[in-house]
Amino acid sequence: MNSPLLLMAPLYPATQQELETRYRCHRLWEAADPAQLLARIGADCRVAVTNGGRGIEAATMERLPALQLVANFGVGVDALDLNWCRAHGVAVTNTPDVLTDDVADLALALLLAAVRRIPAGDRFVREGRWLKGGMGLTPSLQGRRVGIVGLGRIGRAIAQRCLAFNTAIGYCGPRRKSDVDWHYADSVVALAQWADVLIAACPGGPGTYRLISREALQTLGPDGVFVNIARGSVVDQSALVELLLSGALGAAGLDVFDDEPQVPAELFALDKVVLQPHQGSATHHSRAAMGQLVLDNVAAWAAGRPLLTPV
Ligand code: NAP
């Protein structure tokens, strides 16, 4: 491929290096004048590569009239304007499956850390407080029911792990699954009525905006636990903070937030809340595999072969 390739944001270094070795890449985020860069390469640029956080908006794509492929480094495509791509015949690829296990592992880590107060215990030891007496008891995961909002690739991997912890499994989502006999609820509130723990594993974007409402969180109640490895947009974040502060919700493990990297400071003092800086797929293992999929999709497109993971 001789035409220029637009990089929207920094990628996993090995992937970015390989793209820059293979293709004529232009880094949008480093351009002194991004509009000028787009004007310069727009007529020829057929491929843009972005990541799940940056995405690509219609205003940028409108300046790339030759664009044919947007390759997303990440499975979630809520930050890119999919409707615009579909309306303009621009193909989109993402990186499913290869990150599923790492994200599901983090969901379980957050669940256990929040329920068993692991960061608080760690601080207790480091600060020498154990020398003055024991830490006290914590809630337990045993006997709990876990409700998964979105039983897709990651949701199923979370369910498999929860089974090993002896929890009952329930889920909600647009399509009831015929291959599992877990409890199905036809709404998030109905799932919260059945469950003690809600884990968000659905996509972000307008279709799931604030899907996990104040009512759902209130329904989980003072012993309830909420885990989010999906997107900040899927939950009513102000209600979440308010209910955690008041004790109306028991605990939370959060990897994703509205307006990242901003995190509501009120959460910092709460031992029952465990926070992560959007680390779901942030392992060398997943990022290398995601990068390979991006490279393979771009190479397939350039060679006129079918895309590996079209969205
Ligand atoms: P997936 O296989 O497409 O699964 C998404 C699931 O969400 C599907 O089962 C779908 O239901 C369900 N869903 C869609 N709309 C819903 C709604 N309104 N209510 C409830 N469920 C709904 O995707 P995946 O690979 O599991 O990834 C899921 C999401 O995880 C990504 O889109 C991304 O936002 C997030 N993620 C986060 C991280 C992180 O670092 N924290 C990393 C990777 C991914 P049906 O099966 O009925 O269609």
Side-chain angles (χ1 to χ4, degrees):
M1 181 175 67
N2 225 355
S3 55
L5 182 153
L6 181 65
L7 291 175
M8 296 294 295
L11 303 175
Y12 182 62
T15 310
Q16 187 173 316
Q17 198 177 15
E18 189 58 31
L19 281 169
E20 290 180 330
T21 304
R22 290 186 193 179
Y23 309 110
R24 261 200 302 139
C25 291
H26 297 265
R27 301 176 177 182
L28 186 65
W29 72 97
E30 280 180 356
D33 185 343
Q36 201 180 50
L37 171 63
L38 294 174
R40 187 155 52 84
I41 66 169
D44 271 346
C45 175
R46 304 206 171 119
V47 178
V49 178
T50 190
N51 64 32
R54 174 62 179 87
I56 185 166
E57 56 286 317
T60 297
M61 293 189 282
E62 271 156 12
R63 295 170 178 202
L64 302 170
L67 190 66
Q68 293 182 21
L69 173 69
V70 174
N72 187 53
F73 186 103
V75 67
V77 289
D78 47 301
L80 67 84
D81 195 330
L82 212 47
N83 288 335
W84 194 96
C85 291
R86 297 221 158 107
H88 293 81
V90 174
V92 175
T93 59
N94 65 348
T95 61
D97 296 315
V98 293
L99 44 59
T100 295
D101 286 322
D102 271 333
V103 182
D105 287 351
L106 190 74
L108 263 292
L110 283 171
L111 173 58
L112 286 162
V115 171
R116 298 299 302 272
R117 310 290 199 254
I118 290 175
D122 184 83
R123 283 193 295 275
F124 192 81
V125 174
R126 286 170 200 256
E127 290 166 9
R129 284 184 277 151
W130 193 14
L131 299 169
K132 297 171 197 145
M135 171 172 146
L137 308 184
T138 73
S140 169
L141 191 59
Q142 293 310 305
R144 300 281 196 128
R145 292 171 164 184
V146 175
I148 298 170
V149 181
L151 197 69
R153 290 170 289 240
I154 295 171
R156 281 175 185 264
I158 292 170
Q160 279 170 0
R161 285 157 176 73
C162 286
L163 289 174
F165 286 95
N166 303 319
T167 69
I169 308 291
Y171 69 100
C172 69
R175 284 174 292 207
R176 188 175 187 154
K177 311 297 175 198
S178 55
D179 60 335
V180 293
D181 59 3
W182 301 325
H183 176 84
Y184 176 73
D186 61 7
S187 71
V188 179
V189 172
L191 187 62
Q193 278 161 356
W194 175 86
D196 310 291
V197 175
L198 272 192
I199 303 182
C202 57
T208 55
Y209 186 74
R210 305 298 187 240
L211 177 68
I212 298 158
S213 60
R214 173 184 292 272
E215 186 189 358
L217 297 170
Q218 256 164 348
T219 304
L220 271 182
D223 295 323
V225 185
F226 174 64
V227 173
N228 193 359
I229 53 80
R231 286 288 185 263
S233 61
V234 307
V235 64
D236 181 340
Q237 184 168 285
S238 338
L240 174 64
V241 171
E242 204 184 300
L243 296 170
L244 285 165
L245 285 171
S246 73
L249 180 62
L254 308 172
D255 185 42
V256 287
F257 305 87
D258 279 341
D259 194 24
E260 293 172 7
Q262 301 300 324
V263 174
E266 302 95 304
L267 298 179
F268 297 167
L270 297 182
D271 278 349
K272 59 188 178 181
V273 176
V274 180
L275 303 167
Q276 281 288 287
H278 202 145
Q279 288 291 99
S281 70
T283 67
H284 292 294
H285 175 86
S286 282
R287 291 289 163 91
M290 292 160 72
Q292 191 58 52
L293 207 38
V294 169
L295 289 164
D296 291 347
N297 272 308
V298 175
W301 177 86
R305 295 193 307 267
L307 297 169
L308 283 86
T309 50
V311 174

